[in-house]
Amino acid sequence: MTDPDLILAADFGTSGVKIGAVGPDLKVLASVTERYPLHLPAQSRAEQMPEDWWSALARGIARLGAEIPDLPARTGAVVFAAQMCGLVCADEAGHPLRPAMVWLDKRSAALIRGKTGGFPKVAGYGARFLARSIRLANGAPSHNGMDPPGKMLWIAANEPEVYARTAHLLDVKDWLILRATGAVTTTADSANLTWLMDTRRGREGWSPDLAAHYGIPLDRLPRIVDGAAVVEGLTAQAAGQLGLRPGTPVLGGGGDVSVTAIGSGAVADGALHLCVSTSSWVSGFFDRRVLNAFAAYATITSSIDHRPLLIATQEVAGSAMAWLARTFGQSDDDAALAAFYREIGAPAPDDPYFLPWLAGERVPVDEERLRGAFHGLNLRHGPPEMKRAVTEGVALNTRWVYDLVKKERGARTDGPLPLVGGAVANPHLVRALAAALDRPVQVRDTAYAGMRGAAAMAAPAMGWSASVWDAAATLADSDAPVIEPDPQQRDLMARRYDDLKHIRKALVKLYKRQGAA
């Protein structure tokens, strides 16, 4: 028998899964990507079929096996990372009862506003409710309907027959682990984002008080485990479908935010990184809970050691760039996007402005009703100007939140800001981010940060490191390229950012007024 010397890490995003075989040095020996569809059946609705995730996983492992013929024998652990804030309603046997509502699904916005409101209001929440939710969970569900409790309430109100048959309310990763092992689990990061979890130090666990407020039965919520813990081994059925050995250990894993934070290598307290993928977030570990209720960001309890992880999420980033490509009739796969944005020309003072609110916004304005917009188009503008506007718009939207996060006590602004996520493979976006943030940026492992972070979680179980944090520290790649802000582009973007402040303010008022009409 071959001694296991590989971790199989799978990172499930919105458009597909990246699967990698990772060695003891946490380098990806081989990887594949398998795509699956995202269904947008109506305004504010976004769904996926859980079996599509599983089928993509099986296809990807089969392709990896063609490159690594002894893959089953060499695989010592399986670990999943996944998109967060989804809802899979599963029956007692683990079968999905309806399509999964993914993070982009915001149909429950009105319901969650009603459940978290009251008089007097603070930051749009009822003051008494907010005080209790902050004390226990360090925050409250987003107004935009993205978070799981709103989705649970929507199912209960609109599909009561499904809700009655639901035995397990699960996030994306949780269902995948159930499918693989038969174990019903979650990790603290996903649990925290249901806002049904007590996150106070030493009291971490499901909160009967918060669950009762939303009317969610505690027995439908999964057991919370650490992301580095072995949950169970692969069942014989799952192993047969995936082409792996039965009993191969499966770990608790984590949501994409936790896993990417570890994969960035920026794991010291206060060290920030920026992930730009379908959506984007400024993130970093802190030594305490942090909350900015008025800007809608906070620390959550990460999937490892309950360590506080600040997340300031924006809903649309790389997906805006892909949207523009599709609008011009181009494909949005990686190669096509690289070709589409290869030549966009130099920024110009009269370029149009772009607001990347194609799916509402979360931080620093929590408002589902916002919508994307070009501002300042004229007859001379064409594809190059629009490409530049979208690229700049993503970067300046990032600055909108970064300027707040960097002021948090303990946040570190020294040295280059690590960049991860598939969208930072675009060099124009990288230069725009450096100029917009007026800070050197370091392009780390853009495609593999999630896989390598997931593998770092499994490293202690494989005997490769004493702790997840020791493994993660090796991922801080000091040799990765650093891009300094271009002075001319920085000055131009600073002026345009000042203009955007006025444009944003007017558009926020407009969309709120239209939504209320």
Side-chain angles (χ1 to χ4, degrees):
M1 287 288 292
T2 302
D3 288 333
D5 65 343
L6 296 176
I7 294 168
L8 196 65
D11 183 8
F12 291 82
T14 308
S15 59
V17 58
K18 296 175 183 175
I19 311 162
V22 185
D25 58 359
L26 299 186
K27 296 285 178 63
V28 178
L29 277 66
S31 70
V32 298
T33 299
E34 288 286 339
R35 293 172 71 89
Y36 37 70
L38 171 68
H39 305 287
L40 304 171
Q43 177 71 33
S44 300
R45 300 191 179 195
E47 298 179 338
Q48 288 181 320
M49 304 302 294
E51 287 294 342
D52 287 345
W53 306 327
W54 186 257
S55 297
L57 178 65
R59 293 195 306 271
I61 292 175
R63 288 174 57 196
L64 274 183
E67 295 186 49
I68 307 174
D70 52 351
L71 180 64
R74 294 181 64 184
T75 298
V78 176
V79 59
F80 299 140
Q83 54 176 301
M84 301 176 72
C85 293
L87 178 65
V88 180
C89 294
D91 65 15
E92 193 65 50
H95 300 131
L97 296 171
R98 68 176 317 282
M101 300 165 73
V102 299
W103 64 276
L104 273 170
D105 194 301
K106 298 171 183 175
R107 71 185 78 177
S108 68
L111 268 174
I112 203 65
R113 286 175 185 272
K115 200 67 178 176
T116 61
F119 181 83
K121 272 188 165 39
V122 177
Y125 297 92
R128 291 181 63 186
F129 161 79
L130 185 62
R132 179 175 51 171
S133 193
I134 286 175
R135 179 174 61 86
L136 296 174
N138 195 46
S142 168
H143 289 138
N144 66 15
M146 167 184 174
D147 291 337
K151 294 177 167 77
M152 297 173 191
L153 291 171
W154 191 93
I155 295 293
N158 294 277
E159 298 179 2
E161 70 290 349
V162 170
Y163 192 73
R165 294 174 58 204
T166 297
H168 309 297
L169 297 164
L170 304 172
D171 204 346
V172 175
K173 167 186 57 60
D174 308 338
W175 181 83
L176 288 161
I177 289 178
L178 174 58
R179 187 76 162 78
T181 70
V184 183
T185 64
T186 191
T187 46
D189 48 357
S190 287
N192 196 161
L193 286 177
T194 66
W195 306 107
L196 304 175
M197 178 185 173
D198 189 334
T199 68
R200 292 174 294 177
R201 187 166 296 174
R203 305 184 189 185
E204 293 91 352
W206 294 117
S207 166
D209 188 20
L210 291 173
H213 175 81
Y214 297 102
I216 306 300
L218 285 172
D219 61 3
R220 299 192 192 187
L221 302 176
R223 175 170 60 97
I224 301 173
V225 300
D226 192 80
V230 174
V231 173
E232 290 285 354
L234 285 175
T235 65
Q237 181 182 33
Q241 293 169 343
L242 299 180
L244 298 173
R245 290 180 298 117
T248 302
V250 179
L251 281 84
D256 51 6
V257 176
S258 284
V259 171
T260 303
I262 291 170
S264 76
V267 293
D269 284 339
L272 301 176
H273 70 276
L274 174 62
C275 179
V276 189
S277 188
T278 301
S279 58
S280 68
W281 54 85
V282 179
S283 183
F285 292 99
F286 279 74
D287 61 358
R288 68 194 189 283
R289 299 198 309 184
V290 174
L291 172 68
N292 186 331
F294 294 95
Y297 68 80
T299 52
I300 66 165
T301 304
S302 70
S303 70
I304 303 295
D305 298 336
H306 292 137
R307 193 173 172 199
L309 175 63
L310 186 146
I311 311 173
T313 302
Q314 295 186 313
E315 300 293 70
V316 169
S319 51
M321 303 178 76
W323 163 81
L324 186 68
R326 293 194 304 272
T327 299
F328 281 103
Q330 304 298 312
S331 172
D332 62 358
D333 61 60
D334 291 345
L337 280 177
F340 182 72
Y341 283 97
R342 187 166 292 125
E343 299 295 335
I344 67 173
D350 71 336
D351 279 347
Y353 298 88
F354 178 70
L355 286 305
W357 299 334
L358 302 176
E361 192 51 280
R362 177 149 186 154
V363 177
V365 172
D366 179 10
E367 181 52 74
E368 192 276 335
R369 292 171 290 187
L370 299 186
R371 290 294 175 262
F374 283 100
H375 177 85
L377 286 169
N378 65 46
L379 289 172
R380 190 182 63 80
H381 291 150
E385 289 78 15
M386 296 178 77
K387 293 177 191 179
R388 293 200 297 270
V390 169
T391 304
E392 176 196 78
V394 170
L396 291 180
N397 207 50
T398 302
R399 177 180 167 181
W400 195 22
V401 61
Y402 174 78
D403 282 354
L404 294 170
V405 172
K406 72 179 184 181
K407 295 175 184 176
E408 291 291 343
R409 177 171 58 87
R412 295 173 54 178
T413 57
D414 56 308
L417 179 70
L419 302 184
V420 295
V424 296
N426 183 317
H428 301 290
L429 178 59
V430 170
R431 288 193 290 271
L433 286 165
L437 305 181
D438 192 18
R439 180 174 174 181
V441 296
Q442 186 175 42
V443 181
R444 295 199 172 166
D445 202 336
T446 58
Y448 298 145
M451 276 187 277
R452 297 180 76 190
M457 290 182 173
M462 293 288 289
W464 295 352
S465 67
S467 73
V468 173
W469 309 113
D470 289 344
T474 69
L475 300 177
D477 185 359
S478 59
D479 295 327
V482 174
I483 291 83
E484 299 282 344
D486 174 82
Q488 282 189 308
Q489 188 178 13
R490 177 195 62 204
D491 294 345
L492 175 59
M493 291 186 80
R495 293 193 294 272
R496 289 172 62 80
Y497 184 75
D498 287 339
D499 292 340
L500 265 178
K501 291 178 183 177
H502 303 290
I503 297 168
R504 276 199 308 255
K505 186 176 181 180
L507 284 177
V508 168
K509 286 184 177 179
L510 173 66
Y511 286 123
K512 283 186 174 182
R513 185 168 66 246
Q514 288 180 338

